[in-house]
Amino acid sequence: MIVSIYRFRDVMLLKCDGLCSSSNTETITTILKKQKCVKNCMNKKFSEVVHPSYYVKSDFESRKTYSFLQYAYFKIGDLKSAYEAVITNLKYNEDDSMMKKNERYYGKRIIKEHVMLREPLTSVDLIRSAISHYSSKNYHAAVAEFKQSLEALLKEIPECKRLCSITYDNDSRNVPSIAESLDFYDQFAKIYGSVAECRYECMEKYNSKLSGDEDYLPALLNFLQFSAFKAGDVVLAAAAAKTHLAISPSDVTMANNLKYYAAKTAEIDALPGVIDLLSSNSHDTDLLTTIVGKREMKRRLKNKMKVILGDTRSLDDLVLDSDTITWNL
């Protein structure tokens, strides 16, 4: 019940944010005005609004609350519900040894036919299912779920960033009051620092969800372009390849694939929404760099600079030579 209430809280926050949005440009002033407006909106919709601390929100976001829920179900003898809580927890906390042990325990004592996850399907769920189809060479099914995964991602990340901007001052971390300094830079960093950190993590947190060296979004696009090619959809394969190159312009294999697709289809457009996402990520990273400094950002990004920032200029500069096609899938 409490997990559903927390999700509903986020839904209402996003609705209030939509009602309060008046400008596409975020400044210190617009953030403060929007935050005040959202608070008033939430107070009108609920008799009592609880603002959870940063640590409480972290527990909900990591779904650690399901560990308490599974124990409560266990104590009342509802092993099926306990099992569902465990597998939902493990979806977000794959290395939790205690939950793995509990999964084995409940799994031996229940019928698994009607077991379901207690969270709606996410981009991560869909890509994992798509990869299963991909491994079985069921490419048509893989394409459908890779597309759904991308669509879900393009919805989840902007929602995550919106929540960052309207809930930043509820964090119980040590964020000094702006009254402590009259220096504009200090005020900017204190007010917007936690927002920038939060927005930056909205994309970054996906990169640990898949095994391998490639980050989440380029891996998704890579799977999509190859699955689409194998399913006979060259237009989609070309669009996925071109979008992938916006993230990793130095990927020779993908450039060769795009040359091949260019010989098969007259017009190649990047996938809608992804370039806007890259632009948003670039803005967030630049802003966070301003706050924490270039040295700190270099330490964080290391070899991921192009993955996070993207390079939309490469789309216009790319030369497609259909006369010298190389195939390297």
Side-chain angles (χ1 to χ4, degrees), residues 51-197:
H51 300 293
S53 70
Y54 168 77
Y55 301 102
V56 170
K57 288 193 291 183
S58 294
D59 282 346
F60 274 103
E61 293 301 324
S62 65
R63 276 42 173 205
K64 290 181 180 178
T65 46
Y66 282 104
S67 64
F68 299 104
L69 185 61
Q70 66 87 24
Y71 184 72
Y73 279 128
F74 167 72
K75 295 300 286 184
I76 65 173
D78 188 349
L79 299 188
K80 176 178 175 292
S81 295
Y83 181 76
E84 290 177 342
V86 165
I87 62 175
T88 304
N89 181 295
L90 282 171
K91 188 177 81 166
Y92 297 89
N93 304 282
E94 297 173 342
D95 298 326
D96 191 321
S97 58
M98 181 61 73
M99 287 299 106
K100 288 180 179 179
K101 182 179 178 180
N102 291 346
E103 180 188 24
R104 291 192 295 270
Y105 174 85
Y106 297 130
K108 295 176 181 177
R109 291 165 173 79
I110 65 167
I111 299 173
K112 299 180 182 179
E113 286 184 17
H114 304 294
V115 167
M116 67 175 76
L117 290 169
R118 291 177 167 256
E119 290 277 332
L121 291 178
T122 64
S123 176
V124 175
D125 299 320
L126 291 164
I127 196 175
R128 287 174 175 169
S129 177
I131 289 172
S132 178
H133 290 306
Y134 177 91
S135 300
S136 302
K137 298 184 178 181
N138 186 0
Y139 294 112
H140 285 90
V143 166
E145 292 206 319
F146 282 131
K147 286 173 65 179
Q148 291 174 19
S149 177
L150 181 59
E151 290 169 1
L153 186 72
L154 294 176
K155 179 182 178 182
E156 291 166 13
I157 292 178
E159 286 186 352
C160 174
K161 292 185 177 186
R162 286 172 63 194
L163 286 171
C164 289
S165 297
I166 59 181
T167 61
Y168 78 95
D169 73 341
N170 296 325
D171 293 358
S172 60
R173 291 170 290 180
N174 184 27
V175 181
S177 168
I178 61 172
E180 295 176 9
S181 174
L182 296 177
D183 181 82
F184 174 78
Y185 180 84
D186 287 345
Q187 291 184 356
F188 176 83
K190 289 169 184 175
I191 293 176
Y192 207 86
S194 61
V195 178
E197 289 273 8

Side-chain angles (χ1 to χ4, degrees), residues 126-314:
L126 291 164
I127 196 175
R128 287 174 175 169
S129 177
I131 289 172
S132 178
H133 290 306
Y134 177 91
S135 300
S136 302
K137 298 184 178 181
N138 186 0
Y139 294 112
H140 285 90
V143 166
E145 292 206 319
F146 282 131
K147 286 173 65 179
Q148 291 174 19
S149 177
L150 181 59
E151 290 169 1
L153 186 72
L154 294 176
K155 179 182 178 182
E156 291 166 13
I157 292 178
E159 286 186 352
C160 174
K161 292 185 177 186
R162 286 172 63 194
L163 286 171
C164 289
S165 297
I166 59 181
T167 61
Y168 78 95
D169 73 341
N170 296 325
D171 293 358
S172 60
R173 291 170 290 180
N174 184 27
V175 181
S177 168
I178 61 172
E180 295 176 9
S181 174
L182 296 177
D183 181 82
F184 174 78
Y185 180 84
D186 287 345
Q187 291 184 356
F188 176 83
K190 289 169 184 175
I191 293 176
Y192 207 86
S194 61
V195 178
E197 289 273 8
C198 180
R199 288 174 62 92
Y200 168 78
E201 286 297 325
C202 286
M203 181 71 230
E204 183 65 16
K205 66 185 179 183
Y206 286 86
N207 293 332
S208 62
K209 301 300 183 182
L210 297 178
S211 59
D213 297 330
E214 198 167 27
D215 281 345
Y216 189 86
L217 181 55
L220 172 53
L221 293 169
N222 197 359
F223 276 121
L224 178 58
Q225 70 88 24
F226 186 72
S227 298
F229 164 71
K230 297 296 284 186
D233 190 343
V234 177
V235 173
L236 177 59
K242 185 170 185 177
T243 310
H244 188 285
L245 283 170
I247 302 173
S248 304
S250 59
D251 189 322
V252 176
T253 299
M254 198 61 67
N256 288 335
N257 291 349
L258 187 56
K259 288 180 181 180
Y260 176 90
Y261 298 138
K264 302 291 184 180
T265 181
E267 206 170 303
I268 302 176
D269 296 316
L271 293 171
V274 179
I275 302 305
D276 290 339
L277 178 62
L278 292 178
S279 177
S280 174
N281 290 343
S282 177
H283 170 77
D284 293 334
T285 306
D286 289 346
L287 188 55
L288 188 57
T289 302
T290 301
I291 294 171
V292 302
K294 291 183 179 180
R295 180 177 297 179
E296 170 62 15
M297 284 307 295
K298 285 182 179 179
R299 184 190 70 78
R300 297 185 190 191
L301 299 179
K302 294 182 180 178
N303 296 326
K304 294 183 179 180
M305 183 65 75
K306 290 177 181 176
V307 171
I308 294 172
L309 297 181
D311 184 3
T312 54
R313 290 172 298 178
S314 65

